[in-house]
Amino acid sequence: MGKSVPTLAYGSWPSPIDAALAAAHDGRPDDVGLVGDEVWWTVPRPAEGGRRTLVRRLPDGTEEQVLPAPWNVRSRVIEYGGRPWAAHMTESGPLVVFANFADQRLYAYEPGGGEPRPLTPVSPKGGGLRWAEPDVRAERGEVWCVLEEFTGDGPGDVRRVLAAVPLDGSAAGDRDAVRELTDDRHRFVTGPRLSPDGRRAAWLAWDHPRMPWDGTELIVAEVGPEGTFRDARTVAGGPEESIAQADWAPDGALLYASDRTGWWNLYRDGQPLCAREEEFGGPLWKLGQRWFAPLDSGLIAVVHGRGAAALGILDPETGEVVDAAGPWTEFAATLAAHGERVVGVGASPRSAYEVVELDVRTGRARVVGAPHEDAVDPAYYPEPRIRTFTGPAGREIHAHIYPPHNPGCPAPDGELPPYVVWAHGGPTSRSPLVLDLEIAYFTSRGIGVAEVNYGGSTGHGREYRNRLREQWGIVDVEDCAAVALALADEGTADRERLAVRGGSAGGWTAAASLTTTDVYACGTVIYPILDLTGWGTGETHDFESQYLESLIGPYAEVPARYVERSPAEHADRVTAPFLLLQGLDDVICPPVQCERFLARTDGRGVPHAYLTFEGEGHGFRRAETMVRALEAELSLYAQVFGLTPRGIPTLELSR
């Protein structure tokens, strides 16, 4: 006779996916590139203080780390960073130029040829000198890139230009040796893309109070023989047209992704190539993101889709797109192409992100780096469902539902599971449908997860994205609540055991949900925005310092709205237990926001915990931090929902 399977209450199921395993698999490969015949990319190292290193795939198929610890290949331009490396093949091998996180200097490095040597100086002013999107111009003895230069100590004392840095190291101690290619008339710029004949350069620019998904300008300039930019002019874009990326076709035509029709579609010299109600671009949160890459044949590799992002090849003559065959259902906004080879980063609900190469001639796609390996039996992975719910006024709400799932633990008859609503950050972003061991950490223990791509999320066109204009703290909160209550009403979730969690802008949504609704029994709020007045008047970095002008409204016109929407102003309304998690080095959502919120809940008897982490900024990167945060979150749910998870330290809740 077969063994009987034990019936255990939701939340008490034993799971092989512990917090350490989830932390070890956090993050993904990024910034892919082709260096000669080799594929290179950056990858996180949570166990090494959260640094990112550069990895190469050798001709024999093995992976080799290019830069050892403590080198950290990561830019801080606009704080979210940008593409941090480039390489050029010389007769003796690759020459690598990269931004090092600790001092933000550019370095040049020849693997096997000694230590990296600095190319740029250190500035004592404010955030110093920062660099992104390097492009090695060996014929000029320079690397062209974005320069972010602080002129004072405040977060807004900053200018950004395109610049040329000498490769000979002469600027390592001399700021004046850096040649500026543009003036600083625009607040934000992306790196220049040089036309095939070298005579024109194209880049994107925008200014406060717009964010790049609101409106950008595509600028083209002539490049003189001496390497100067002349006659710069705007050729596309505007206040209500977002150009997400621009590049040049091999024949010199200008390609770009514009949302002028309400969807980011591709254009060639202003003419549409593939008019569809789906996205061929996305929100430019990091400089150097790439949703398309032109091929030598005239075809274009594209990352495209509606609510998801597939890798395909677009024929600009016919407008036809043929997607790469394979298990990957989601590709990140990083692409590289050379000849007929395309390299991207793909994932699926059954596999984490891995580096994928597509041979356009054969149509064959294969994993060439960071291959997914099942750290546990995949039977413990969640089995997500794509759902569309109905919200207030009949509006559609897109979500991914992850029911509790554990092959060895059926739940008792009649018991409904607890569910946690996850609100993504951004808020102009979305939750991709990919394997995430943090989600599996909960679902394998009997706790359901609902990722809500609330109004304002990307992937569903500009109209859906614009739902959050002046409605932040309302539409996102309503949409999350609508999904939670719908799950309860249909008998999927236990109405009395609903929670909300989110980080950054998702932390705002979680906190606003706790102060304005009675839907949730508890919440986890991670490096959040809590006080709009403070955040919008100097408590955050320059890139997002006027984001609230569109999310909330012009501060000069509606200052009371900033107070009314802020969770910190209504902390006395919180009655549900909560957990606050905060990095002490966070300059985007600084700890003072949490401290202000806590001061207003002090003495009210609401169970809560506040955990802070030295050395962590906006987004946790260290393994030990992620372990502590996950275990604390599970302990909160256990105490509130009456669960008995095994081997989890009890989180001490204050009142």
Side-chain angles (χ1 to χ4, degrees):
M1 296 181 64
K3 293 182 178 179
S4 61
V5 179
T7 297
L8 298 174
Y10 287 113
S12 62
W13 300 348
S15 171
I17 303 172
D18 61 14
L21 185 67
H25 289 79
D26 188 78
R28 62 173 172 82
D30 203 354
D31 307 309
V32 295
L34 285 159
V35 183
D37 291 330
E38 296 180 357
V39 181
W40 292 36
W41 64 93
T42 64
V43 68
R45 294 281 192 254
E48 298 178 22
R51 76 182 184 101
R52 290 193 76 91
T53 190
L54 188 60
V55 172
R56 64 196 291 192
R57 184 182 190 270
L58 299 176
D60 63 3
T62 59
E63 293 181 15
E64 177 182 275
Q65 180 176 257
V66 177
L67 289 158
W71 298 104
N72 188 350
V73 185
R74 183 176 153 217
S75 168
R76 282 189 62 185
V77 169
I78 68 169
E79 293 301 344
Y80 291 112
R83 186 175 177 87
W85 74 276
H88 172 73
M89 285 300 296
T90 69
E91 292 182 356
S92 59
L95 169 67
V96 186
V97 174
F98 69 95
N100 183 50
F101 183 74
D103 57 13
Q104 286 300 291
R105 301 174 83 181
L106 278 183
Y107 286 81
Y109 177 58
E110 298 177 26
E115 286 291 303
R117 54 185 177 85
L119 297 180
T120 57
V122 174
S123 170
K125 292 184 179 179
L129 299 172
R130 301 174 180 180
W131 314 84
E133 288 199 78
D135 179 17
V136 179
R137 312 308 308 176
E139 73 280 6
R140 298 187 183 278
E142 296 176 327
V143 54
W144 291 5
C145 48
V146 174
L147 162 60
E148 180 178 80
E149 180 175 26
F150 282 80
T151 58
D153 294 331
D157 299 328
V158 63
R159 61 192 293 269
R160 299 176 185 89
V161 298
L162 301 182
V165 176
L167 285 169
D168 62 8
S170 57
D174 182 8
R175 166 65 180 83
D176 292 337
V178 174
R179 187 168 65 91
E180 296 192 7
L181 300 170
T182 64
D183 58 28
D184 58 359
R185 72 181 66 181
H186 292 291
R187 190 70 169 187
F188 303 96
V189 292
T190 65
R193 304 295 296 178
L194 202 61
S195 63
D197 61 9
R199 295 180 179 179
R200 291 176 294 167
W203 67 95
L204 306 180
W206 67 97
D207 294 286
H208 285 319
R210 290 174 300 182
M211 299 300 286
W213 42 87
D214 295 324
T216 56
E217 296 178 29
L218 172 53
I219 299 175
V220 174
E222 306 300 317
V223 180
E226 68 284 6
T228 56
F229 288 6
R230 302 179 302 199
D231 303 324
R233 60 198 183 279
T234 297
V235 299
E240 292 293 327
E241 179 184 357
S242 169
I243 311 291
Q245 181 194 335
D247 210 333
W248 300 92
D251 63 359
L254 182 59
L255 304 172
Y256 57 90
S258 165
D259 73 345
R260 63 182 57 157
T261 65
W263 299 85
W264 275 301
N265 280 187
L266 282 185
Y267 294 81
R268 174 187 167 95
D269 287 338
Q271 298 302 310
L273 291 180
C274 182
R276 297 187 181 185
E277 289 191 347
E278 60 178 74
E279 308 285 31
F280 289 77
L284 195 65
W285 279 104
K286 290 176 57 179
L287 304 186
Q289 289 179 287
R290 299 192 76 189
W291 291 268
F292 70 87
L295 304 176
D296 292 346
S297 63
L299 301 175
I300 306 170
V302 293
V303 171
H304 72 107
R306 184 168 182 164
L311 173 63
I313 301 298
L314 167 65
D315 184 340
E317 297 298 325
T318 66
E320 181 184 8
V321 179
V322 178
D323 287 340
W328 312 282
T329 56
E330 183 75 36
F331 276 82
T334 179
L335 283 178
H338 180 68
E340 300 304 311
R341 299 170 65 198
V342 177
V343 180
V345 175
S348 79
R350 305 296 291 177
S351 61
Y353 285 102
E354 46 196 0
V355 182
V356 177
E357 181 181 89
L358 171 64
D359 186 325
V360 178
R361 294 167 299 181
T362 65
R364 179 172 176 250
R366 60 179 182 139
V367 175
V368 295
H372 169 77
E373 296 179 358
D374 291 318
V376 297
D377 185 340
Y380 289 92
Y381 294 164
E383 297 180 348
R385 303 166 186 169
I386 301 173
R387 297 280 304 273
T388 301
F389 295 86
T390 301
R395 64 178 182 250
E396 288 187 343
I397 307 167
H398 302 285
H400 303 146
I401 307 303
Y402 297 81
H405 178 72
N406 185 310
C409 294
D413 290 340
E415 182 182 356
L416 294 177
Y419 259 80
V420 183
V421 171
W422 284 30
H424 63 70
T428 309
S429 183
R430 67 179 174 88
S431 296
L433 188 65
V434 300
L435 178 63
D436 183 342
L437 291 189
E438 279 200 13
I439 292 177
Y441 177 77
F442 293 103
T443 58
S444 62
R445 286 172 168 76
I447 300 173
V449 171
E451 288 185 317
V452 181
N453 284 315
Y454 47 81
S457 301
T458 53
H460 300 280
R462 186 168 186 128
E463 182 180 353
Y464 194 87
R465 198 165 79 237
N466 283 350
R467 286 183 187 177
L468 218 53
R469 282 196 170 183
E470 300 196 9
Q471 296 297 308
W472 195 36
I474 296 177
V475 166
D476 50 324
V477 170
E478 289 179 346
D479 285 2
C480 287
V483 170
L485 293 174
L487 292 174
D489 290 345
E490 72 186 24
T492 297
D494 185 341
R495 174 65 184 87
E496 302 304 315
R497 296 192 293 176
L498 297 173
V500 62
R501 76 101 88 163
S504 188
W508 152 274
T509 301
S513 297
L514 295 178
T515 59
T516 61
T517 79
D518 61 358
V519 172
Y520 307 102
C522 62
T524 301
V525 181
I526 310 169
Y527 38 84
I529 303 163
L530 296 171
D531 180 354
L532 294 179
T533 302
W535 199 79
T537 56
E539 284 184 358
T540 191
H541 62 142
D542 184 60
F543 177 58
E544 292 179 277
S545 62
Q546 295 187 38
Y547 196 3
L548 301 181
E549 295 285 300
S550 60
L551 289 175
I552 303 298
Y555 181 72
E557 299 175 14
V558 290
R561 190 183 295 169
Y562 282 62
V563 175
E564 178 58 31
R565 298 269 184 91
S566 294
E569 293 291 337
H570 306 293
D572 59 332
R573 299 178 184 173
V574 177
T575 59
F578 64 89
L579 168 63
L580 272 177
L581 301 169
Q582 178 68 48
L584 293 178
D585 293 348
D586 194 339
V587 297
I588 296 172
C589 295
V592 66
Q593 295 252 319
C594 287
E595 294 161 7
R596 200 171 292 143
F597 182 85
L598 287 169
R600 292 168 181 169
T601 62
D602 190 42
R604 298 192 57 255
V606 178
H608 68 276
Y610 178 44
L611 303 183
T612 60
F613 302 96
E614 294 276 359
E616 291 283 14
H618 198 67
F620 299 152
R621 290 177 169 83
R622 299 181 177 185
E624 60 270 24
T625 300
M626 291 184 276
V627 169
R628 178 73 174 113
L630 266 181
E631 292 182 341
E633 184 177 355
L634 179 57
S635 180
L636 172 71
Y637 304 150
Q639 294 180 57
V640 174
F641 296 154
L643 313 178
T644 55
R646 304 181 184 186
I648 304 299
T650 299
L651 174 69
E652 184 177 345
L653 297 175
S654 303
R655 291 182 181 271

